[in-house]
Amino acid sequence: MPHDFMPGLAGVPAAKSAISDVDGQRGVLEYRGIRVEELCLRSSYLETAYLLLFGHLPTQPQLARWHEDIVHHRRIKFKIVDLLKCLPEQGHPMDALQAAVAALGMFYPGRNVQDVDNNYWSAVRLVAKLPTIVAAWARLRHGNEYIPPRDDLGFSENFLYMLTETEPLPLWSDIFDDCLILHAEHTMNASTFTGMVTASTLADPYTVVASSIGALKGPLHGGANEEVVQMLKEIGDPGRARSYLEEQVRAKQRLMGFGHRVYKVKDPRATILQGLCERLFKECGNSPLYEVAVEVERVAEELLKGKGIYPNVDFYSGIVYDKMGIETDLFTPLFALARVSGWLAHWLEQLRENKLFRPDQIYSGEHNRSYVPIEQR
Ligand code: ACO
């Protein structure tokens, strides 16, 4: 049966899912029916990850066990640390993360993805170990020692500690935890779809997550957060925002951190992240990048009016991380270590009624050509 070709599969449902929902006209994002605003206010990243993976908020004993299981699996094997040490230090952290996650699967070779117990432990390991890998790489590439996780610290607190060897201010881990909640899941996006295609072959979850990491790296997806901060630094001063944007629009260049396939209003995550920036600056002083960003948003609204192009999640996240002293090329790995819970939730959901992804194509080439011998071409 012939179908219309939809470039980028825009508007084509690729799955039925009960994990999250976006209302792109009203700017509403819900995880398992709960709005992200409420989760940021009342939940933690680990609890939100549980909600996404298992479909309900945990009871106290369930949350305690989930927390304990994560804490017990945060460490990474010394061979993974050695693998990271062997990678070129100027390489991108997303490539290091992807390589380490693919290698992780070699240590936990359970191939039967119908084994519910095994799947639980795979999810625990991936949620627990991604932050350790990201922090380890961030230090090893500068010749610093890997700092193992500390069992007495919460998820975000521990990550920031492993990165800096210093216990973070409670405000910083709170804000960082909200950032992780906001990045944990987002319906059928490019990296989730990539993981689901891989998962549909019944590949193991380490391979699934490694393929999602690859898709997230691109500048049209998660990689945009890195480019936003570079752009804001290049603009340098709110007074230069207008001329910079006018030039971009004239040259038909895309503004990084703006636009979304689904949202036709400002991304609710961008609004929350903007609030987090302001909370952070109240305690720790302003950031010149933020002032530039606000002006870029104002001018962009004027110049791109009518196109439905507003800030997305990547626009303000980097400003928060930058203020915390996190290096720019780690922003997308931070996205990945949060999004892993969403990827895995889709993996578990799809396994219940798996069907191999094998779409069709519309052939636009020739038929019945003859082979021409090389000396006659
Ligand atoms: N800046 C300027 N113009 C834009 C932008 C932008 N950021 N985004 C879209 N447009 C314009 C396009 O040029 C196009 O204009 P035209 O109709 O005159 O040709 C129109 O809006 C529609 O654009 P499409 O590319 O068809 O829209 P699509 O849904 O494919 O784009 C995307 C979504 C890829 C996110 C796009 O908005 C973009 O490239 N943004 C910049 C990169 C970015 O911030 N990515 C992160 C997205 S969030 C995430 O993945 C975590």
Side-chain angles (χ1 to χ4, degrees):
M1 203 195 344
H3 294 282
D4 287 340
F5 171 49
M6 301 302 289
L9 297 182
V12 178
K16 283 187 175 174
S17 177
I19 300 169
S20 66
D21 189 42
V22 172
D23 181 334
Q25 301 299 331
R26 292 193 302 133
V28 174
L29 170 62
E30 293 172 333
Y31 296 166
R32 301 284 186 187
I34 306 177
R35 284 175 79 136
V36 282
E37 288 83 355
E38 192 172 2
L39 289 168
C40 282
L41 216 55
R42 303 174 66 180
S43 184
S44 65
Y45 172 71
L46 261 196
E47 187 185 54
T48 299
Y50 185 102
L51 170 73
L52 290 168
L53 284 159
F54 307 113
H56 58 91
L57 287 168
T59 60
Q60 273 182 9
Q62 283 169 336
L63 184 60
R65 186 193 156 195
W66 173 237
H67 184 263
E68 193 182 320
D69 289 345
I70 296 288
V71 166
H72 281 145
H73 287 84
R74 277 175 180 168
R75 281 172 177 70
I76 49 175
K77 295 195 184 283
F78 78 86
K79 284 188 176 178
I80 295 287
V81 178
D82 286 353
L83 177 143
L84 291 172
K85 282 183 185 165
C86 292
L87 299 175
E89 58 272 16
Q90 72 281 7
H92 197 282
M94 282 297 271
D95 294 330
L97 180 63
Q98 190 181 33
V101 169
L104 210 56
M106 298 170 79
F107 293 96
Y108 310 103
R111 293 275 172 243
N112 179 9
V113 290
Q114 302 308 336
D115 180 336
V116 173
D117 200 45
N118 197 32
N119 288 351
Y120 173 78
W121 290 110
S122 299
V124 166
R125 281 190 208 105
L126 282 157
V127 172
K129 291 184 197 299
L130 255 70
T132 315
I133 294 170
V134 173
W137 170 254
R139 296 186 59 82
L140 292 168
R141 67 174 170 165
H142 294 307
N144 297 321
E145 274 306 304
Y146 150 66
I147 299 175
R150 253 181 51 194
D151 292 356
D152 60 319
L153 299 180
F155 193 86
S156 290
E157 212 181 356
N158 174 62
F159 173 73
L160 294 170
Y161 164 75
M162 290 190 296
L163 201 61
T164 59
E165 210 178 2
T166 316
E167 280 183 42
L169 297 169
L171 175 76
W172 285 30
S173 27
D174 262 18
I175 289 179
F176 189 80
D177 211 62
D178 281 352
C179 291
L180 297 188
I181 291 175
L182 293 174
H183 287 86
E185 160 62 9
H186 206 250
T187 71
M188 192 53 58
N189 54 84
S191 57
T192 300
F193 183 51
T194 302
M196 288 175 68
V197 172
T198 306
S200 79
T201 70
L202 301 185
D204 65 89
Y206 303 92
T207 308
V208 169
V209 170
S211 55
S212 291
I213 291 171
L216 186 68
K217 184 186 173 196
L220 292 188
H221 191 13
N225 56 11
E226 210 180 295
E227 308 230 353
V228 168
V229 165
Q230 276 152 8
M231 172 182 83
L232 297 176
K233 285 185 175 162
E234 201 182 318
I235 297 172
D237 185 278
R240 280 205 287 274
R242 176 170 291 279
S243 57
Y244 181 92
L245 262 69
E246 281 174 348
E247 185 46 42
Q248 292 284 106
V249 171
R250 219 181 350 263
K252 294 198 178 313
Q253 292 294 316
R254 278 166 190 244
L255 268 186
M256 287 296 145
F258 278 81
H260 199 276
R261 178 67 62 77
V262 185
Y263 291 116
K264 297 306 160 209
V265 293
K266 186 168 172 177
D267 184 331
R269 300 168 298 174
T271 307
I272 303 172
L273 281 159
Q274 197 171 356
L276 294 179
C277 284
E278 284 167 7
R279 232 178 104 198
L280 186 61
F281 302 155
K282 212 182 265 173
E283 291 284 324
C284 311
N286 222 335
S287 155
L289 289 184
Y290 182 65
E291 283 158 28
V292 178
V294 170
E295 183 60 6
V296 166
E297 182 180 348
R298 200 187 64 75
V299 178
E301 187 162 0
E302 208 181 292
L303 297 182
L304 301 172
K305 200 160 45 191
K307 280 201 163 187
I309 296 164
Y310 295 94
N312 60 47
V313 67
D314 289 327
F315 191 61
Y316 286 107
S317 59
I319 302 175
V320 175
Y321 301 144
D322 186 76
K323 186 70 188 175
M324 289 182 177
I326 298 174
E327 295 168 282
T328 311
D329 62 358
L330 294 177
F331 297 173
T332 320
L334 300 186
F335 194 152
L337 69 85
R339 182 55 62 86
V340 70
S341 52
W343 292 330
L344 290 167
H346 284 274
W347 167 63
L348 290 174
E349 184 180 64
Q350 182 176 278
L351 279 178
R352 282 186 226 121
E353 243 175 285
N354 188 62
K355 186 163 172 73
L356 177 74
F357 272 105
R358 203 309 183 187
D360 209 347
Q361 64 163 13
I362 296 168
Y363 180 61
S364 62
E366 297 174 44
H367 287 288
N368 297 321
R369 294 176 76 196
S370 320
Y371 178 83
V372 180
I374 196 160
E375 60 281 2
Q376 291 172 25
R377 287 175 217 160

